[in-house]
Amino acid sequence: MTVVGRYAPSPTGRLHLGNARTALLAWLQVRAARGRFVLRVEDLDPQRSRPEHEARQLDELRWLGLDWDEGPDVGGPNGPYRQSERGEVYAAALARLDTFACTCTRKELREVASAPHGADPIYPGTCRVAPSHPGRPAALRWRVPPGEVCFDDGIAGRWCQDVAAEVGEFVLRRADGAWAYQLAVVVDDAAMGVTHVLRGADLIDSTPRQILLARSLGLTAPSFAHAPLILGADGNKLNKRHGAPDLSALRAAGVDPRRVVAALARSAGLLNPADQHEHVAPHELIASFDLRQVGRDPGPLVELTPLA
Ligand code: GLU
Ligand code: ZN
């Protein structure tokens, strides 16, 4: 069986070192298995996605030494490779799922349901029988089948969630017509023949939703590995406020991309700590790549910041 993996950036900003490390790991998993690597642009959010971000992200991934066999710039048999151009595929999938129209606003939902800070509240079922405000534009929610979904993550181990109880009926198409990430990613991974998903740990709690959707659509779900995120010193997800340089800044500063790759590889556990290699090209890591070396703990940011 050919291993097919992908990197699926959202063109909403610049790639930082955390994105780069995830991309490197996904690429290595595929190249080590002599598989096919797909680059898919997840530009579902029309407000935040920009073609110039896409161009810059692809350019910088190449600068790092990564390449892909299919993607928006190189083509391939399973395109288009931009989600903004795949609406018909999502509509066909949606038509096969049992959904209902929901006219609740985010604010209304926050008021009825309590939710952990930042997370979407569990949908309280307001519009299950009929939309609460028939005049409003409606989102479409999926009637999630009951029961626990479990999977064995290649890095994080066994993971289970009762989607109906812990997430509730989630949105597949927003009231403004935008497709939900959860639906698009499932449909696209299947359409593009993806067998192995390696992505950031922030998406692990979306995985049971995606497995359930794949099952309901009669699609084979890929296997999953969720790599730890690089965290800032405050323990939060890496972002601009941490002063962590994005790839553009490193490139503009004249940093050798092989230094960036060496630091990323070391922080992911791919290089022996005693190995003093300061410069490594991605292809030099293929022969020894072993996903089991990647730990569950995020690598320290401190090793990466002196790059700038
Ligand atoms: N587009 C998502 C992101 O940039 C990744 C989705 C995925 O890998 O499933 O965070
Ligand atoms: Zn509702």
Side-chain angles (χ1 to χ4, degrees):
M1 183 193 73
T2 308
V3 167
V4 182
R6 47 53 159 202
Y7 184 60
S10 303
T12 55
R14 297 184 176 192
L15 295 177
H16 58 59
L17 291 169
N19 305 128
R21 190 169 74 170
T22 303
L24 174 67
L25 291 171
W27 182 89
L28 282 170
Q29 186 184 39
V30 167
R31 292 290 177 244
R34 298 180 182 282
R36 196 151 50 80
F37 196 55
V38 177
L39 193 291
R40 181 173 69 233
V41 173
E42 303 213 319
D43 55 349
L44 283 176
D45 187 333
Q47 269 87 48
R48 295 175 60 228
S49 303
R50 300 257 186 285
E52 55 273 26
H53 289 315
E54 175 192 317
R56 189 190 277 267
Q57 290 182 346
L58 269 54
D59 205 36
E60 257 125 41
L61 292 169
R62 285 214 171 83
W63 172 74
L64 273 183
L66 306 182
D67 62 356
W68 42 94
D69 308 296
E70 298 174 33
D73 54 343
V74 298
N78 304 311
Y81 294 94
R82 280 187 199 95
Q83 290 187 326
S84 60
E85 298 166 16
R86 299 180 59 80
E88 284 167 33
V89 191
Y90 309 142
L94 182 79
R96 296 168 50 206
L97 295 164
D98 185 8
T99 58
F100 63 90
C102 167
T103 50
C104 304
T105 62
R106 284 195 143 216
K107 185 163 173 282
E108 286 164 356
L109 292 176
R110 264 196 306 268
E111 279 156 12
V112 274
S114 60
H117 181 73
D120 276 335
I122 297 171
Y123 184 65
T126 320
C127 306
R128 228 171 252 160
V129 178
S132 57
H133 297 79
R136 289 184 189 164
L140 291 176
R141 288 182 182 271
W142 186 36
R143 291 186 206 275
V144 175
E148 198 171 49
V149 180
C150 296
F151 68 100
D152 291 301
D153 190 275
I155 296 171
R158 193 155 181 85
W159 190 272
C160 297
Q161 187 182 52
D162 183 331
V163 181
E166 293 171 50
V167 179
E169 294 137 315
F170 59 91
V171 171
L172 300 183
R173 205 186 68 196
R174 290 185 347 200
D176 65 2
W179 296 100
Y181 155 72
Q182 306 291 354
L183 178 66
V185 75
V186 168
V187 170
D188 288 348
D189 281 339
M192 296 173 187
V194 171
T195 61
H196 290 67
V197 168
L198 191 156
R199 60 186 177 188
D202 53 334
L203 292 169
I204 197 163
D205 61 359
S206 287
T207 306
R209 266 172 272 184
Q210 295 170 10
I211 291 172
L212 208 50
L213 273 173
R215 266 188 213 156
S216 300
L217 289 165
L219 306 170
T220 311
S223 69
F224 292 93
H226 289 86
L229 302 177
I230 299 178
L231 302 180
D234 56 1
N236 286 320
K237 235 171 108 170
L238 197 63
N239 64 33
K240 276 209 194 79
R241 274 177 297 123
H242 298 107
D246 57 53
L247 295 183
S248 303
L250 293 169
R251 187 180 186 181
V255 174
D256 186 330
R258 294 173 310 148
R259 251 185 86 202
V260 180
V261 172
L264 294 174
R266 186 166 288 114
S267 80
L270 299 181
L271 291 176
N272 185 328
D275 183 338
Q276 290 304 309
H277 275 86
E278 288 274 310
H279 297 84
V280 180
H283 69 85
E284 296 174 87
L285 295 164
I286 296 173
S288 61
F289 179 74
D290 183 349
L291 190 60
R292 287 170 301 189
Q293 290 174 323
V294 180
R296 295 184 197 194
D297 295 327
L301 181 66
V302 278
E303 285 189 36
L304 297 167
T305 38
L307 283 170

